[in-house]
Amino acid sequence: MPPVRLLCLAVATALPAAALADQPAAEEARIERMDTVVVTGVAPSSPLTFVTDPKQPRQPVPASDAADYLKTIPGFAAIRSGGSNGDPVLRGQSGSRLSLLVNGGAMLGACPARMDAPSSYIAPQNFDALTVIKGPQTVLWGPVASAGTVLFERETERFDTPGVRAQGSALVGSFGRNEQTLDVAAGGPAAYARLNANRSEQDDYEDGDGETVPSLWRKWNADAAFGVTPDADTRIELSAGAGDGKARYAGRGMDGTRFRRESLGLRIEKQNVGGVLDAVDARAYYNHADHIMDNYGLREPDPTGPMPTAMLAAVDRRTVGARVAATFRWDATELATGVDAERSDHRNGTAMLPGMANGWDPDARFSRVGVFGEARVALSAQDRLVAGARIDRAAVADRRATVGGMDMGGDDGMGGGMDMGMDDGMAMAMPNPTAGRRREDTLTAGFLRIEHALAGTPVQVHAGVGRSERMPDYWELFSPTLGPEGAVNAFAAVRPETTTQLDLGLTYRSARAEAWVSAYAGRQDDFILFDYLAGGAMGDTTRARNVDADIRGGELGGSMRLGAAWTVDGSLAYAWAGNRDDGEALPQIPPLEARLGVAWARGPWSAGAQVRGVRAQDRVATGRGNVVGRDLGPSKGFAVTSANAAWRVDARWTLAAGIDNLFDRRYAEHLNLAGDAGFGYPAEPVRIGEPGRTLWARVDFGY
């Protein structure tokens, strides 16, 4: 690290050792107690629902994207390919089995191999609230995702009097980590304007053995909103946003040199409408992802690999949608009901070589419309019933004239069977047997949950059953080289996936302690599985097919205050999945993971430490996976220790610092794209090592 950053880090780390006794008692009392850096996760705010503030400092080093942030919550993991832009996994399920929404709208990536997963376009610190709903236990936010629903939301506080509010942070750290965020809002009772912006970068890091891992990234995001509040119950908000970035990957044959995002949104909400109609919420959104991959901007082409010369691929995806929901209240019942719709268009660029003129070939159009209703009924002082149902009419059109093109396999960043529009003899493109065809399906989903508070105790239990039907997504219909046996391609024959799941849980809250446990067991019919078959010079061949599967697992956590200053907390997460058709494990299932943390806080000072332990994973299905990656075989367990300290200087300024991987261990996650041989990794798959000892310091301010 440069000397100036080392100096900043040393000062921030040493501050807690300074004597506080010299401060006047009145000044010490004036400084509010600061929340400690979160080290293990958060407890559920209600059954299966977790709500947290993504602006709050967390250990390890503050996240670079949504996947990086989510993996700090029990039950989440991420498929790793280097320093940033991992793909989030909840309870062993990834892709569109996990729904990520931004202000109620979908921000979908474009890469056929999910190099730009939806999470890569989300900067968590630019949002006010993060809500996670585990399992198929809500129908309010589009087609029900079997793993869960994640909501990143901005909620601008109203201005009772004219004024300005500002919040921001700056971070420095090892391996060139540098980040700045700004959130400023100004307004009055009748209107407001708000700007959220962040910039983040890091160079290649070194793992615990001192080996350099290709992992550089540069990112920025900016979002602006203007709102009108004609009265205390009405808000009309127009928003716009943009972002871009680049990322070097250790586990792919190409890097991402453009992650351009454009977003527009309109929201109209009315509270306290009158009578039984309590509220109306209407939203519309537009999101555009413009993504470029190449093998020369951030690396040198590998002369021995499938792309020995400079090549690029351009893709984009435009998603538009709308949602109108009304909330009714009467007696002991609350009902939210409405309609939502969405359309998404995907295109491939025809340019393959630097300097070529780029055109666009549309290849897929997805559309759907759905209706939903979700009710909460207080049956008694201790019992509540929560239930919901929805129905969607979904369609997808195959707009590819040809298929085959350049098959680079699912691990290399370009996607199996991707039609690159090649007409120059460099690749064999064949007529598409499903050109112009349209698939339509009616998808149903619903859930029922009972919540019971044990009389006279701080304990609540819940039991729920949910069912969801999922349309195959873009990556499952258009990325595979092959479809099921006997089918002309995946588009023609891969069936929708159905999940039926039982969720059970218990929460305990008292003045000094809280604990929670949740367990699930389910059956997935027509689970969409990828087989990675032996490939030729141009990469692996992938086949998408349906199998029947069983899933089960759970999470638990708790915290306890020990005296006035100390808190101990911990969590445990476990996922298991079996392929009933083939009599083996489902691939890409994270191993058992445990976290134990201790935190100390007194006045403006706080400190904490965490031990994260991950068990070895030997239940694998080698050669099978999803569009992002495949099982590479058994993985080793590991344990990593991290520590942090913080000082709230006054009501406006806070300094925090931390050390991740304190003992500089060399370790690798089970969910991992193998290091790419073009970067000097062995030809056989070797898991990408995680960062070695990492130091960071952060300053936060609020006005």
Side-chain angles (χ1 to χ4, degrees), residues 161-214:
T161 59
V164 177
R165 294 193 295 264
Q167 185 177 0
S169 66
L171 170 79
V172 295
S174 302
F175 314 119
R177 182 68 185 270
N178 190 316
E179 180 177 297
Q180 302 82 38
T181 68
L182 177 65
D183 179 358
V184 59
Y192 63 86
R194 183 178 183 184
L195 173 68
N196 294 88
N198 84 294
R199 174 191 171 278
S200 178
E201 67 177 1
Q202 181 176 294
D203 298 328
D204 297 337
Y205 65 74
E206 293 182 357
D207 65 18
D209 286 343
E211 297 292 331
T212 299
V213 176

Side-chain angles (χ1 to χ4, degrees), residues 556-647:
L556 61 86
S559 66
M560 178 176 292
R561 293 178 58 189
L562 305 177
W566 292 91
T567 301
V568 176
D569 58 4
S571 66
L572 187 72
Y574 174 73
W576 182 98
N579 176 346
R580 298 204 312 271
D581 285 5
D582 298 329
E584 61 184 22
L586 275 189
Q588 297 289 279
I589 303 300
L592 176 72
E593 178 174 322
R595 297 174 189 244
L596 179 64
V598 58
W600 171 88
R602 184 174 182 180
W605 310 104
S606 69
Q610 177 204 89
V611 177
R612 174 178 174 240
V614 176
R615 186 179 179 181
Q617 178 64 289
D618 55 8
R619 289 197 79 253
V620 296
T622 304
R624 307 197 199 280
N626 52 44
V627 72
V628 182
R630 54 182 165 173
D631 273 6
L632 304 175
S635 60
K636 297 179 180 179
F638 59 85
V640 182
T641 303
S642 303
N644 66 76
W647 175 41

Side-chain angles (χ1 to χ4, degrees), residues 13 90 297 341 427 591 614:
T13 305
L90 174 58
V614 176

Side-chain angles (χ1 to χ4, degrees), residues 240-262:
D244 202 353
K246 59 184 178 180
R248 178 154 54 204
Y249 293 117
R252 297 181 182 267
M254 283 182 149
D255 300 310
T257 52
R258 177 186 291 173
F259 293 83
R260 185 173 295 168
R261 170 186 68 91
E262 297 173 345

Side-chain angles (χ1 to χ4, degrees), residues 122-203:
I122 300 173
Q125 58 271 41
N126 284 2
F127 295 87
D128 301 313
L130 165 62
T131 301
V132 176
I133 306 167
K134 294 183 178 180
Q137 289 288 308
T138 183
V139 298
L140 298 178
W141 302 103
V144 177
S146 55
T149 301
V150 179
L151 307 175
F152 288 89
E153 296 278 352
R154 293 189 189 93
E155 294 288 349
T156 303
E157 294 182 15
R158 291 175 178 268
F159 287 84
D160 296 327
T161 59
V164 177
R165 294 193 295 264
Q167 185 177 0
S169 66
L171 170 79
V172 295
S174 302
F175 314 119
R177 182 68 185 270
N178 190 316
E179 180 177 297
Q180 302 82 38
T181 68
L182 177 65
D183 179 358
V184 59
Y192 63 86
R194 183 178 183 184
L195 173 68
N196 294 88
N198 84 294
R199 174 191 171 278
S200 178
E201 67 177 1
Q202 181 176 294
D203 298 328

Side-chain angles (χ1 to χ4, degrees), residues 32 91 126 651:
E32 299 176 2
R91 293 177 162 181
N126 284 2

Side-chain angles (χ1 to χ4, degrees), residues 347-370:
R347 301 185 302 177
N348 291 322
T350 57
M352 277 297 298
L353 301 176
M356 288 178 59
N358 187 41
W360 291 102
D361 288 332
D363 66 339
R365 169 171 289 178
F366 288 76
S367 59
R368 65 159 189 86
V369 60

